Amino acid sequence: MNYKLTLSYDGTRYKGWQRQGNTDNTIQSKIESTLGRITGENIEISGCGRTDAGVHALCQVCSFHSDTEYSCSELLRLLREYLPEDIGAVSLEQAPPRFHARLSCKSKTYMYRIVTGDAPCVFERKYVYRFDGAPDIEAMREAAGYLVGRHDFMAFCSLKSSKKSTVRTLECIEIRENKDRIEILLTGDGFLYNMVRIIVGTLLEVGEGKRKPRELMDILESRDRMLAGFTAPPQGLFLYKITY
Amino acid sequence: MNYKLTLSYDGTRYKGWQRQGNTDNTIQSKIESTLGRITGENIEISGCGRTDAGVHALCQVCSFHSDTEYSCSELLRLLREYLPEDIGAVSLEQAPPRFHARLSCKSKTYMYRIVTGDAPCVFERKYVYRFDGAPDIEAMREAAGYLVGRHDFMAFCSLKSSKKSTVRTLECIEIRENKDRIEILLTGDGFLYNMVRIIVGTLLEVGEGKRKPRELMDILESRDRMLAGFTAPPQGLFLYKITY
């Protein structure tokens, strides 16, 4: 039977989503070992988004096959009982045989949360990036406009060399502002390694006036990571929504 | 000069507000040592509410005297720089000479946050009490009604013996419900040791049907802690608002 598991997690203490060994401190291996403990099977899961170390998920989806005799609701209850409290099993359902969390995904949305100014935010301190200054939101929106569409995002990717395509479609970038909060939502068909964080860092440099919005066109065209902005830190980033 | 300092803090890793020694892990001594480091003076602060170990504050007020030559805005900036990130300095102002954070206070509001059901809440897990079940909110509201007013709250106090008065005025108890969230707000002129948490525990036992709402009258009258309900855990409790 094929399953679709929806998760939320606080990525603070994990080395990201993707398993690197069999007993490493990643979210994938934590879930796989928990499923193994429950079912007695050797279960491998496929996650939709490979979140980096320290990145969170409000909505992550993974798929896996199992021959367990537990019902979905029993399996969900056991997952909630055995998973650590910073990984939440939101829902579990049977999926069509060919469903695959990453390959079947139509689009993903990431949200990046920023707090400006120096007013304390003690309860959210692990879930926002505190940015010193008051960035120009309209300039950031203008800059973001140049990134929307189908482009080669090589300049916005941390991987040094890869023969794989770095062309992706960014469907939209929405920038919301409310008092000292900024939320940047990016929706697309796929994201390269560190792509969201480099885009956010570059947009913030536009917001600070260090770059002109139109520079984004030149950066895209250059395909040169060195021309883009800084990589915004992981704790402000959330995998936010997945559409199938 | 007399100062009024407004704070918010995540109480998770502290042994409560009140200093127990000179180098203990309490919020009071953390702030006093930070103020001492900034001003070079030996500063003692008075807090409005003495929150227990693990209890949080959205709004705590303390007062202190200092001869520092720093302006309020400079002192606030230095506090924000030196305080740990789980203690936030919200605002600082000069206060009239006779202002005292606790003695001048007209009323305080505590908020207790509960999540029912077993849906995960990974980002709030340290700031709510997860309660297994679906308590009857109307029964809890009826029970709360018996507590409002001026009463001897000895039965809702953890201190074994004290010659001090245990009479307090509870101005109102508001119970808000939204999906799987319950917030209980208690406003009064003062609260005894563990009083909010014992009231919340007792109300939850009413909500579960283990007690009748009218029992609250008998408990009050008994002045016997053993007749009241359990002490709800600290992580759901916030000092919420202070009125002068």
Side-chain angles (χ1 to χ4, degrees):
Chain A
M1 184 61 67
N2 194 15
Y3 291 90
K4 177 188 176 193
L5 171 62
T6 303
L7 302 158
S8 63
Y9 49 82
D10 175 345
T12 307
R13 68 184 184 100
Y14 296 98
K15 292 189 173 162
W17 169 265
Q18 194 165 20
R19 174 164 36 81
Q20 291 151 13
N22 277 318
T23 55
D24 59 9
N25 190 31
T26 62
I27 294 148
Q28 181 180 4
S29 53
K30 189 66 76 178
I31 292 164
E32 286 177 346
S33 66
T34 304
L35 281 170
R37 189 174 154 197
I38 293 170
T39 63
E41 300 172 67
N42 195 355
I43 290 180
E44 194 167 328
I45 64 177
S46 303
C48 178
R50 293 175 189 155
T51 54
D52 295 342
V55 172
H56 317 293
L58 284 163
C59 175
Q60 163 80 292
V61 172
C62 65
S63 54
F64 62 91
H65 287 89
S66 167
D67 297 321
T68 182
E69 289 184 354
Y70 286 119
S71 69
C72 275
S73 65
E74 284 170 324
L75 198 51
L76 182 64
R77 189 185 58 73
L78 289 164
L79 277 170
R80 287 178 176 175
E81 190 172 331
Y82 291 124
L83 282 173
E85 59 173 11
D86 51 6
I87 301 179
V90 176
S91 63
L92 177 70
E93 55 194 283
Q94 292 187 354
R98 304 201 51 180
F99 175 80
H100 183 282
R102 185 167 52 82
L103 301 177
S104 308
C105 156
K106 284 217 183 78
S107 75
K108 277 182 271 202
T109 301
Y110 280 92
M111 174 170 71
Y112 198 94
R113 300 176 73 210
I114 297 158
V115 171
T116 57
D118 59 357
C121 54
V122 297
F123 300 103
E124 295 182 290
R125 63 190 191 278
K126 292 175 180 168
Y127 312 123
V128 296
Y129 168 43
R130 181 179 283 286
F131 184 75
D132 203 17
D136 177 343
I137 302 294
E138 279 315 314
M140 290 171 68
R141 287 189 179 129
E142 185 190 337
Y146 293 111
L147 298 178
V148 172
R150 187 159 182 82
H151 300 289
D152 185 339
F153 284 96
M154 177 86 117
F156 296 91
C157 171
S158 285
L159 281 183
K160 274 128 212 164
S161 69
S162 165
K163 286 174 187 162
K164 288 187 183 168
S165 167
T166 47
V167 173
R168 295 289 184 278
T169 301
L170 203 48
E171 292 164 27
C172 72
I173 303 181
E174 182 191 354
I175 305 181
R176 301 175 183 164
E177 190 189 16
N178 183 14
K179 290 178 193 159
D180 61 351
R181 303 301 169 110
I182 302 170
E183 289 176 358
I184 305 179
L185 288 96
L186 301 97
T187 301
D189 62 353
F191 292 88
L192 306 167
Y193 184 57
N194 279 352
M195 177 170 152
V196 174
R197 292 163 56 191
I198 298 171
I199 289 178
V200 167
T202 309
L203 292 180
L204 282 170
E205 292 178 4
V206 170
E208 287 181 295
K210 290 184 182 168
R211 298 169 180 275
K212 299 265 175 251
R214 284 181 62 88
E215 267 183 61
L216 274 286
M217 286 201 293
D218 307 327
I219 300 171
L220 269 178
E221 203 167 321
S222 75
R223 304 176 73 241
D224 181 356
R225 168 70 187 92
M226 298 304 290
L227 296 191
F230 77 108
T231 305
Q235 77 271 10
L237 184 59
F238 291 75
L239 181 51
Y240 182 70
K241 192 179 160 191
I242 297 168
T243 307
Y244 287 101
Chain B
M1 185 61 68
N2 194 15
Y3 290 90
K4 177 189 177 193
L5 171 63
T6 303
L7 303 158
S8 63
Y9 50 81
D10 174 344
T12 306
R13 68 184 183 100
Y14 295 98
K15 292 190 173 160
W17 170 265
Q18 195 165 20
R19 174 164 35 83
Q20 290 151 16
N22 277 318
T23 55
D24 59 8
N25 190 30
T26 63
I27 294 147
Q28 182 181 4
S29 53
K30 190 64 77 179
I31 293 164
E32 287 178 345
S33 65
T34 305
L35 281 170
R37 190 174 153 197
I38 294 171
T39 63
E41 300 172 66
N42 196 353
I43 290 180
E44 196 167 326
I45 64 176
S46 304
C48 178
R50 293 176 189 155
T51 54
D52 294 343
V55 173
H56 317 293
L58 284 164
C59 175
Q60 163 79 293
V61 173
C62 65
S63 53
F64 62 90
H65 287 88
S66 167
D67 297 321
T68 182
E69 290 183 354
Y70 285 119
S71 69
C72 276
S73 64
E74 284 170 322
L75 199 49
L76 182 64
R77 189 185 59 75
L78 289 164
L79 277 169
R80 287 178 177 176
E81 190 173 330
Y82 291 123
L83 282 173
E85 60 174 10
D86 51 6
I87 301 180
V90 176
S91 63
L92 177 70
E93 54 194 283
Q94 291 186 354
R98 304 201 52 179
F99 175 80
H100 183 282
R102 186 167 52 81
L103 302 177
S104 308
C105 156
K106 284 215 183 77
S107 76
K108 277 181 270 201
T109 302
Y110 280 91
M111 176 169 70
Y112 197 93
R113 300 176 73 212
I114 297 158
V115 171
T116 57
D118 60 356
C121 53
V122 297
F123 300 103
E124 295 182 292
R125 64 191 191 277
K126 292 177 180 168
Y127 312 121
V128 296
Y129 169 43
R130 181 178 284 285
F131 184 75
D132 204 16
D136 177 344
I137 301 293
E138 280 314 314
M140 290 171 68
R141 288 189 178 126
E142 185 190 338
Y146 293 111
L147 298 178
V148 173
R150 187 160 182 82
H151 301 288
D152 185 339
F153 284 97
M154 178 87 117
F156 296 91
C157 172
S158 285
L159 281 183
K160 274 127 212 165
S161 69
S162 166
K163 285 174 185 162
K164 288 187 182 168
S165 166
T166 47
V167 174
R168 295 288 185 279
T169 301
L170 203 48
E171 292 164 28
C172 73
I173 303 182
E174 182 191 353
I175 305 182
R176 302 174 182 165
E177 191 190 14
N178 183 14
K179 292 176 191 159
D180 61 350
R181 303 301 169 110
I182 302 170
E183 289 175 356
I184 305 180
L185 288 97
L186 301 98
T187 302
D189 61 353
F191 293 88
L192 305 168
Y193 185 56
N194 280 350
M195 176 170 153
V196 175
R197 291 164 55 191
I198 299 170
I199 289 178
V200 167
T202 309
L203 292 179
L204 282 170
E205 291 178 5
V206 170
E208 285 181 297
K210 290 183 181 167
R211 298 168 179 275
K212 298 267 175 247
R214 284 182 60 89
E215 267 183 61
L216 274 285
M217 286 201 292
D218 307 327
I219 300 171
L220 268 179
E221 204 168 322
S222 74
R223 304 176 73 241
D224 181 356
R225 168 69 188 93
M226 300 304 291
L227 296 190
F230 77 109
T231 305
Q235 77 272 11
L237 185 58
F238 292 75
L239 180 51
Y240 183 70
K241 192 179 158 190
I242 298 168
T243 307
Y244 288 101

PDB file of all heavy atoms in Angstrom, chain A residues 31-55:
ATOM      1  N   ILE A  31      11.893   9.936  10.915  1.00  0.00           N
ATOM      2  CA  ILE A  31      10.581   9.396  10.543  1.00  0.00           C
ATOM      3  C   ILE A  31      10.717   7.944  10.069  1.00  0.00           C
ATOM      4  O   ILE A  31       9.914   7.083  10.437  1.00  0.00           O
ATOM      5  CB  ILE A  31       9.923  10.287   9.468  1.00  0.00           C
ATOM      6  CG1 ILE A  31       9.580  11.642  10.105  1.00  0.00           C
ATOM      7  CG2 ILE A  31       8.652   9.636   8.909  1.00  0.00           C
ATOM      8  CD1 ILE A  31       9.285  12.718   9.103  1.00  0.00           C
ATOM      9  N   GLU A  32      11.742   7.678   9.285  1.00  0.00           N
ATOM     10  CA  GLU A  32      11.938   6.304   8.819  1.00  0.00           C
ATOM     11  C   GLU A  32      12.172   5.345   9.981  1.00  0.00           C
ATOM     12  O   GLU A  32      11.611   4.239  10.019  1.00  0.00           O
ATOM     13  CB  GLU A  32      13.124   6.246   7.837  1.00  0.00           C
ATOM     14  CG  GLU A  32      12.768   6.844   6.471  1.00  0.00           C
ATOM     15  CD  GLU A  32      13.935   6.867   5.494  1.00  0.00           C
ATOM     16  OE1 GLU A  32      15.092   6.671   5.940  1.00  0.00           O
ATOM     17  OE2 GLU A  32      13.691   7.098   4.297  1.00  0.00           O
ATOM     18  N   SER A  33      12.963   5.763  10.962  1.00  0.00           N
ATOM     19  CA  SER A  33      13.228   4.837  12.074  1.00  0.00           C
ATOM     20  C   SER A  33      11.966   4.656  12.921  1.00  0.00           C
ATOM     21  O   SER A  33      11.700   3.572  13.442  1.00  0.00           O
ATOM     22  CB  SER A  33      14.411   5.320  12.908  1.00  0.00           C
ATOM     23  OG  SER A  33      14.114   6.528  13.553  1.00  0.00           O
ATOM     24  N   THR A  34      11.147   5.721  13.032  1.00  0.00           N
ATOM     25  CA  THR A  34       9.898   5.603  13.793  1.00  0.00           C
ATOM     26  C   THR A  34       8.923   4.669  13.069  1.00  0.00           C
ATOM     27  O   THR A  34       8.290   3.803  13.692  1.00  0.00           O
ATOM     28  CB  THR A  34       9.270   6.995  14.001  1.00  0.00           C
ATOM     29  OG1 THR A  34      10.235   7.836  14.628  1.00  0.00           O
ATOM     30  CG2 THR A  34       8.027   6.909  14.875  1.00  0.00           C
ATOM     31  N   LEU A  35       8.799   4.836  11.736  1.00  0.00           N
ATOM     32  CA  LEU A  35       7.921   3.943  10.966  1.00  0.00           C
ATOM     33  C   LEU A  35       8.428   2.501  11.056  1.00  0.00           C
ATOM     34  O   LEU A  35       7.638   1.553  11.153  1.00  0.00           O
ATOM     35  CB  LEU A  35       7.859   4.394   9.501  1.00  0.00           C
ATOM     36  CG  LEU A  35       6.948   5.583   9.201  1.00  0.00           C
ATOM     37  CD1 LEU A  35       7.169   6.082   7.771  1.00  0.00           C
ATOM     38  CD2 LEU A  35       5.477   5.210   9.412  1.00  0.00           C
ATOM     39  N   GLY A  36       9.752   2.342  11.039  1.00  0.00           N
ATOM     40  CA  GLY A  36      10.329   1.002  11.149  1.00  0.00           C
ATOM     41  C   GLY A  36      10.005   0.354  12.488  1.00  0.00           C
ATOM     42  O   GLY A  36       9.629  -0.828  12.556  1.00  0.00           O
ATOM     43  N   ARG A  37      10.092   1.157  13.527  1.00  0.00           N
ATOM     44  CA  ARG A  37       9.820   0.665  14.884  1.00  0.00           C
ATOM     45  C   ARG A  37       8.350   0.237  15.014  1.00  0.00           C
ATOM     46  O   ARG A  37       8.034  -0.745  15.670  1.00  0.00           O
ATOM     47  CB  ARG A  37      10.132   1.812  15.848  1.00  0.00           C
ATOM     48  CG  ARG A  37      10.132   1.470  17.285  1.00  0.00           C
ATOM     49  CD  ARG A  37      10.600   2.698  18.073  1.00  0.00           C
ATOM     50  NE  ARG A  37      10.065   2.657  19.431  1.00  0.00           N
ATOM     51  CZ  ARG A  37      10.025   3.709  20.230  1.00  0.00           C
ATOM     52  NH1 ARG A  37      10.478   4.887  19.832  1.00  0.00           N
ATOM     53  NH2 ARG A  37       9.516   3.592  21.442  1.00  0.00           N
ATOM     54  N   ILE A  38       7.455   0.989  14.353  1.00  0.00           N
ATOM     55  CA  ILE A  38       6.026   0.699  14.463  1.00  0.00           C
ATOM     56  C   ILE A  38       5.651  -0.533  13.630  1.00  0.00           C
ATOM     57  O   ILE A  38       4.919  -1.409  14.093  1.00  0.00           O
ATOM     58  CB  ILE A  38       5.190   1.923  13.990  1.00  0.00           C
ATOM     59  CG1 ILE A  38       5.380   3.105  14.953  1.00  0.00           C
ATOM     60  CG2 ILE A  38       3.706   1.563  13.870  1.00  0.00           C
ATOM     61  CD1 ILE A  38       4.788   4.418  14.450  1.00  0.00           C
ATOM     62  N   THR A  39       6.158  -0.582  12.393  1.00  0.00           N
ATOM     63  CA  THR A  39       5.682  -1.620  11.463  1.00  0.00           C
ATOM     64  C   THR A  39       6.575  -2.856  11.432  1.00  0.00           C
ATOM     65  O   THR A  39       6.162  -3.906  10.918  1.00  0.00           O
ATOM     66  CB  THR A  39       5.645  -1.068  10.013  1.00  0.00           C
ATOM     67  OG1 THR A  39       6.993  -0.727   9.642  1.00  0.00           O
ATOM     68  CG2 THR A  39       4.756   0.151   9.902  1.00  0.00           C
ATOM     69  N   GLY A  40       7.804  -2.728  11.924  1.00  0.00           N
ATOM     70  CA  GLY A  40       8.751  -3.834  11.788  1.00  0.00           C
ATOM     71  C   GLY A  40       9.323  -3.959  10.393  1.00  0.00           C
ATOM     72  O   GLY A  40      10.071  -4.890  10.095  1.00  0.00           O
ATOM     73  N   GLU A  41       8.962  -3.033   9.509  1.00  0.00           N
ATOM     74  CA  GLU A  41       9.463  -3.059   8.130  1.00  0.00           C
ATOM     75  C   GLU A  41      10.615  -2.082   7.968  1.00  0.00           C
ATOM     76  O   GLU A  41      10.827  -1.199   8.803  1.00  0.00           O
ATOM     77  CB  GLU A  41       8.341  -2.656   7.162  1.00  0.00           C
ATOM     78  CG  GLU A  41       7.120  -3.545   7.206  1.00  0.00           C
ATOM     79  CD  GLU A  41       6.000  -2.956   6.358  1.00  0.00           C
ATOM     80  OE1 GLU A  41       6.159  -2.914   5.128  1.00  0.00           O
ATOM     81  OE2 GLU A  41       4.989  -2.504   6.916  1.00  0.00           O
ATOM     82  N   ASN A  42      11.312  -2.210   6.851  1.00  0.00           N
ATOM     83  CA  ASN A  42      12.375  -1.273   6.511  1.00  0.00           C
ATOM     84  C   ASN A  42      11.786  -0.273   5.523  1.00  0.00           C
ATOM     85  O   ASN A  42      11.671  -0.566   4.330  1.00  0.00           O
ATOM     86  CB  ASN A  42      13.539  -2.065   5.896  1.00  0.00           C
ATOM     87  CG  ASN A  42      14.799  -1.240   5.852  1.00  0.00           C
ATOM     88  OD1 ASN A  42      14.780  -0.050   6.194  1.00  0.00           O
ATOM     89  ND2 ASN A  42      15.884  -1.854   5.433  1.00  0.00           N
ATOM     90  N   ILE A  43      11.376   0.876   6.030  1.00  0.00           N
ATOM     91  CA  ILE A  43      10.603   1.800   5.195  1.00  0.00           C
ATOM     92  C   ILE A  43      11.446   2.981   4.754  1.00  0.00           C
ATOM     93  O   ILE A  43      12.150   3.593   5.555  1.00  0.00           O
ATOM     94  CB  ILE A  43       9.340   2.276   5.959  1.00  0.00           C
ATOM     95  CG1 ILE A  43       8.372   1.100   6.085  1.00  0.00           C
ATOM     96  CG2 ILE A  43       8.681   3.458   5.250  1.00  0.00           C
ATOM     97  CD1 ILE A  43       7.094   1.423   6.806  1.00  0.00           C
ATOM     98  N   GLU A  44      11.370   3.276   3.457  1.00  0.00           N
ATOM     99  CA  GLU A  44      12.066   4.446   2.926  1.00  0.00           C
ATOM    100  C   GLU A  44      11.022   5.456   2.481  1.00  0.00           C
ATOM    101  O   GLU A  44      10.077   5.111   1.776  1.00  0.00           O
ATOM    102  CB  GLU A  44      12.934   4.021   1.735  1.00  0.00           C
ATOM    103  CG  GLU A  44      13.940   5.073   1.341  1.00  0.00           C
ATOM    104  CD  GLU A  44      14.990   4.496   0.380  1.00  0.00           C
ATOM    105  OE1 GLU A  44      15.319   3.291   0.498  1.00  0.00           O
ATOM    106  OE2 GLU A  44      15.452   5.248  -0.482  1.00  0.00           O
ATOM    107  N   ILE A  45      11.181   6.700   2.909  1.00  0.00           N
ATOM    108  CA  ILE A  45      10.190   7.716   2.556  1.00  0.00           C
ATOM    109  C   ILE A  45      10.786   8.699   1.549  1.00  0.00           C
ATOM    110  O   ILE A  45      11.994   8.919   1.513  1.00  0.00           O
ATOM    111  CB  ILE A  45       9.670   8.485   3.799  1.00  0.00           C
ATOM    112  CG1 ILE A  45      10.801   9.276   4.472  1.00  0.00           C
ATOM    113  CG2 ILE A  45       9.021   7.532   4.800  1.00  0.00           C
ATOM    114  CD1 ILE A  45      10.330  10.115   5.646  1.00  0.00           C
ATOM    115  N   SER A  46       9.901   9.286   0.716  1.00  0.00           N
ATOM    116  CA  SER A  46      10.310  10.340  -0.214  1.00  0.00           C
ATOM    117  C   SER A  46       9.619  11.622   0.204  1.00  0.00           C
ATOM    118  O   SER A  46       8.393  11.673   0.260  1.00  0.00           O
ATOM    119  CB  SER A  46       9.853  10.003  -1.639  1.00  0.00           C
ATOM    120  OG  SER A  46      10.372   8.754  -2.025  1.00  0.00           O
ATOM    121  N   GLY A  47      10.405  12.648   0.484  1.00  0.00           N
ATOM    122  CA  GLY A  47       9.836  13.937   0.888  1.00  0.00           C
ATOM    123  C   GLY A  47       9.682  14.847  -0.304  1.00  0.00           C
ATOM    124  O   GLY A  47      10.432  14.748  -1.277  1.00  0.00           O
ATOM    125  N   CYS A  48       8.717  15.747  -0.237  1.00  0.00           N
ATOM    126  CA  CYS A  48       8.489  16.659  -1.357  1.00  0.00           C
ATOM    127  C   CYS A  48       9.580  17.717  -1.424  1.00  0.00           C
ATOM    128  O   CYS A  48      10.090  18.024  -2.482  1.00  0.00           O
ATOM    129  CB  CYS A  48       7.122  17.313  -1.212  1.00  0.00           C
ATOM    130  SG  CYS A  48       6.793  18.479  -2.529  1.00  0.00           S
ATOM    131  N   GLY A  49       9.928  18.312  -0.287  1.00  0.00           N
ATOM    132  CA  GLY A  49      10.952  19.370  -0.270  1.00  0.00           C
ATOM    133  C   GLY A  49      12.106  18.957   0.617  1.00  0.00           C
ATOM    134  O   GLY A  49      11.886  18.479   1.729  1.00  0.00           O
ATOM    135  N   ARG A  50      13.338  19.147   0.126  1.00  0.00           N
ATOM    136  CA  ARG A  50      14.496  18.779   0.942  1.00  0.00           C
ATOM    137  C   ARG A  50      14.959  19.990   1.726  1.00  0.00           C
ATOM    138  O   ARG A  50      15.888  20.694   1.320  1.00  0.00           O
ATOM    139  CB  ARG A  50      15.624  18.276   0.037  1.00  0.00           C
ATOM    140  CG  ARG A  50      15.269  16.960  -0.633  1.00  0.00           C
ATOM    141  CD  ARG A  50      16.345  16.566  -1.614  1.00  0.00           C
ATOM    142  NE  ARG A  50      15.889  15.426  -2.406  1.00  0.00           N
ATOM    143  CZ  ARG A  50      16.351  15.136  -3.621  1.00  0.00           C
ATOM    144  NH1 ARG A  50      17.288  15.886  -4.161  1.00  0.00           N
ATOM    145  NH2 ARG A  50      15.885  14.090  -4.276  1.00  0.00           N
ATOM    146  N   THR A  51      14.288  20.246   2.843  1.00  0.00           N
ATOM    147  CA  THR A  51      14.624  21.436   3.622  1.00  0.00           C
ATOM    148  C   THR A  51      16.032  21.308   4.214  1.00  0.00           C
ATOM    149  O   THR A  51      16.456  20.235   4.624  1.00  0.00           O
ATOM    150  CB  THR A  51      13.591  21.659   4.743  1.00  0.00           C
ATOM    151  OG1 THR A  51      13.493  20.472   5.529  1.00  0.00           O
ATOM    152  CG2 THR A  51      12.213  21.961   4.177  1.00  0.00           C
ATOM    153  N   ASP A  52      16.738  22.457   4.243  1.00  0.00           N
ATOM    154  CA  ASP A  52      18.105  22.505   4.792  1.00  0.00           C
ATOM    155  C   ASP A  52      18.100  22.422   6.316  1.00  0.00           C
ATOM    156  O   ASP A  52      17.063  22.567   6.956  1.00  0.00           O
ATOM    157  CB  ASP A  52      18.765  23.854   4.451  1.00  0.00           C
ATOM    158  CG  ASP A  52      18.977  24.053   2.975  1.00  0.00           C
ATOM    159  OD1 ASP A  52      18.944  23.069   2.234  1.00  0.00           O
ATOM    160  OD2 ASP A  52      19.175  25.229   2.585  1.00  0.00           O
ATOM    161  N   ALA A  53      19.284  22.304   6.867  1.00  0.00           N
ATOM    162  CA  ALA A  53      19.452  22.328   8.325  1.00  0.00           C
ATOM    163  C   ALA A  53      18.852  23.613   8.892  1.00  0.00           C
ATOM    164  O   ALA A  53      19.107  24.703   8.387  1.00  0.00           O
ATOM    165  CB  ALA A  53      20.934  22.268   8.659  1.00  0.00           C
ATOM    166  N   GLY A  54      18.022  23.474   9.911  1.00  0.00           N
ATOM    167  CA  GLY A  54      17.465  24.642  10.584  1.00  0.00           C
ATOM    168  C   GLY A  54      16.223  25.221   9.934  1.00  0.00           C
ATOM    169  O   GLY A  54      15.616  26.142  10.469  1.00  0.00           O
ATOM    170  N   VAL A  55      15.828  24.686   8.772  1.00  0.00           N
ATOM    171  CA  VAL A  55      14.621  25.170   8.086  1.00  0.00           C
ATOM    172  C   VAL A  55      13.411  24.389   8.601  1.00  0.00           C
ATOM    173  O   VAL A  55      13.511  23.202   8.907  1.00  0.00           O
ATOM    174  CB  VAL A  55      14.768  25.015   6.551  1.00  0.00           C
ATOM    175  CG1 VAL A  55      13.464  25.323   5.826  1.00  0.00           C
ATOM    176  CG2 VAL A  55      15.897  25.901   6.042  1.00  0.00           C
TER     177      VAL A  55
END
